[in-house]
Amino acid sequence: MFLTALTLLLGALLALVTYLHQHKQPQQPPKKIPLSVNYHLTRQCNYSCGFCFHTAKTSSIAPLSDAQKAMTLLQRAGMKKINFAGGEPFLHAQFLGQLAQYCKQTLRLESVSIVTNGSKVTAAWLERYGRYIDIMAVSVDSFDEATNVKIGRGKGRHLETVKRLAGWCRSYGVMFKVNTVVNRYNLHEDMNAPIRAIGPVRWKCFQVLIVPEENGGGAETLRDARRFQISDEEFEGWCERHRGGNEAFFVPEGNGVMRSSYLLLDEELCFLNKGVGGKTGCVLEVGVEEALRGVYWDEEGFGERGGVYEWTKPGGEGEGCECGGEEGAKGELDW
């Protein structure tokens, strides 16, 4: 009798385990948190850098109200830093300023940053909106104007722009950052002395990147950047020559780390899958969580490249900065 009851009990337990195993819910992947987002608000640019991988295929830009809604959705999903890029974002200076103010003052983001070639930035714009900007990054690929012209970085006066903008950023309390794309044309240049003269808070040095559908030289691309390419070994050699003495602000990024460790939002408010697939639906239509499911984002690479750092300026809580003045605005850098 006892054995019969025990057999029935074991059979029931086995049946229950089998049922639970067959009907268990599939484990959901962990939710992606868009901690830091790069919003390429326009593809238009007044420069013609030969290696650009966000080429001007359209002239569209989202309405300000839509962009604000997208920023709100991203902030609710966990975004703490927004970086405005392009194209050249200052081709839409008022839109950029109003959106930066909204992100810092209304959404209270930890960091609002801008990547620009600097040519369209004015002191008046910084006086009005600089209090809402934590970081201004300017692209500096060479301290030789002839090399800048070969690359397409302006027409011979880019370094004047860099000096002026660095001074303005000091005046209006904005942290100044430098971005450099290491490529075939600047590979043997020694930038140590001039970069120290600028004294950026961060110097991001990228290995030139080929994105097949953007600058890979195919029939449907607008650029062919293959002449700018360098090897991983050449890039590492360049980094070795520039790392020493600059450790406090030097941040190198080779292709392996850079390719998929950024969350890129395009001018239509869709996430891009750089080099690995088509873009997602618009975040206003499908939502941030659904859009992120369709993004290949290397979160581990994001951490390895130092994606989280001291990205809020001192006192940079959206209430403004009382620093500045004519003396700082007129300051000149000597390199």
Side-chain angles (χ1 to χ4, degrees), residues 6 28 76 81 91 102 120 127 204 215 267 275 326 334:
L6 182 60
Q28 295 294 324
R76 290 174 180 171
K81 178 180 185 289
L91 292 178
Y102 179 80
K120 297 294 183 180
E127 183 174 10
K204 186 73 76 69
N215 64 358
E267 71 279 6
E326 288 299 317
D334 183 21

Side-chain angles (χ1 to χ4, degrees), residues 34 37 69-79 265 271 283 288:
V37 176
K69 290 175 186 175
M71 297 300 103
T72 301
L73 292 175
L74 288 164
Q75 185 263 352
R76 290 174 180 171
M79 180 177 72
L265 195 71
F271 284 112
V283 297
V288 173

Side-chain angles (χ1 to χ4, degrees), residues 18 23 50 79 118 146 149 154 160 190 208 235 243 255 261 300 305 335:
T18 301
H23 292 83
M79 180 177 72
V149 172
E160 292 179 22
D190 184 351
V208 64
F235 177 69
R243 184 177 283 111
N255 287 170
S261 65
E300 184 176 340
R305 68 173 172 81
W335 55 53

